Amino acid sequence: MIRRLRRCGHAPGAISPEDQAVVDQFRAMLTAVRNPDPWTPGTGHARDIAVRVGPFVERAHTRPGDDHGPDLIAVTLVHPYTPHAGAYLHGRQLGYTEHDWLSCPTTSIVGYWQPGYTQLTHAANGLHPPDDIGMVPANYALYIEARKRDDSHDGYTLLRLGPYTETRHAQQYGDRLTAALDGRETTLAPGFRVTMRFGPFNVIDHQLFTDPYETDVVALLNATVADVNG
């Protein structure tokens, strides 16, 4: 994946500016690989990070509010030369803009982005990032569940709300639902405890979800409980 020097080391004459640039890029890459700038969740730094995508390393923006999880954070891949002129166009040609926000395992994070990683990207090698980069869309959902009170964990899902594209929106709606459930958890469905759970949005079951932005979630919860109780 690393561009090879076009000039043999024993060739006569001074090294050309073009070859010197390649040497400098190679040295910068080695420095970045040997001396990563460790990423730490919750530091509040609005800096791009470097993430592994197969054998490559890519530059990624982190999403405010979703950039501090211990296991997963939300990222979107960007061209390594962002925001320089032409980076967006070249990234679009290579398919970088086809990936929206993605759930990135923190184990895939190399560290904060350094220019030296550029030679390790798909873009620098004239390649499209793969369609499946090993990360699922970073959407979220709220689940209202009724569970047996005998610790058997038997039960069912009353309501699925989503997708939420930002954690803060899911948290705001979740807070409203939690407040609406306060003191009523064991009375809404006889024999069950009704709780609210935050989790990933399951795209496969999208038809089972209600768009939370088109309804009053508390009124929807009450209507759902009324239907269940007949």
Side-chain angles (χ1 to χ4, degrees), residues 37-45 67-68 109 111-112:
D37 186 358
W39 173 85
T40 303
T43 57
H45 296 303
D67 56 359
H68 57 271
I109 299 174
Y112 286 111

Side-chain angles (χ1 to χ4, degrees), residues 102-206:
L102 302 164
S103 291
C104 174
T106 53
T107 53
S108 296
I109 299 174
V110 177
Y112 286 111
W113 174 259
Q114 300 181 52
Y117 291 127
T118 296
Q119 298 306 306
L120 301 177
T121 64
H122 287 81
N125 291 274
L127 300 173
H128 285 67
D131 293 334
D132 181 6
I133 63 174
M135 303 180 196
V136 298
N139 294 330
Y140 308 96
L142 298 178
Y143 300 85
I144 308 300
E145 300 174 330
R147 297 292 178 223
K148 285 281 191 179
R149 286 183 276 165
D150 58 5
D151 295 326
S152 66
H153 300 293
D154 292 336
Y156 56 94
T157 301
L158 287 167
L159 187 62
R160 295 173 175 85
L161 296 169
Y164 297 92
T165 57
E166 295 186 34
T167 298
R168 63 186 181 90
H169 288 163
Q171 290 175 336
Q172 289 169 355
Y173 282 78
D175 288 344
R176 291 188 60 199
L177 290 167
T178 298
L181 290 171
D182 188 29
R184 306 168 61 201
E185 298 95 334
T186 60
T187 62
L188 293 176
F192 294 84
R193 178 181 298 277
V194 178
T195 58
M196 189 277 299
R197 178 175 64 85
F198 172 83
F201 175 75
N202 191 336
V203 178
I204 296 176
D205 295 330
H206 65 90

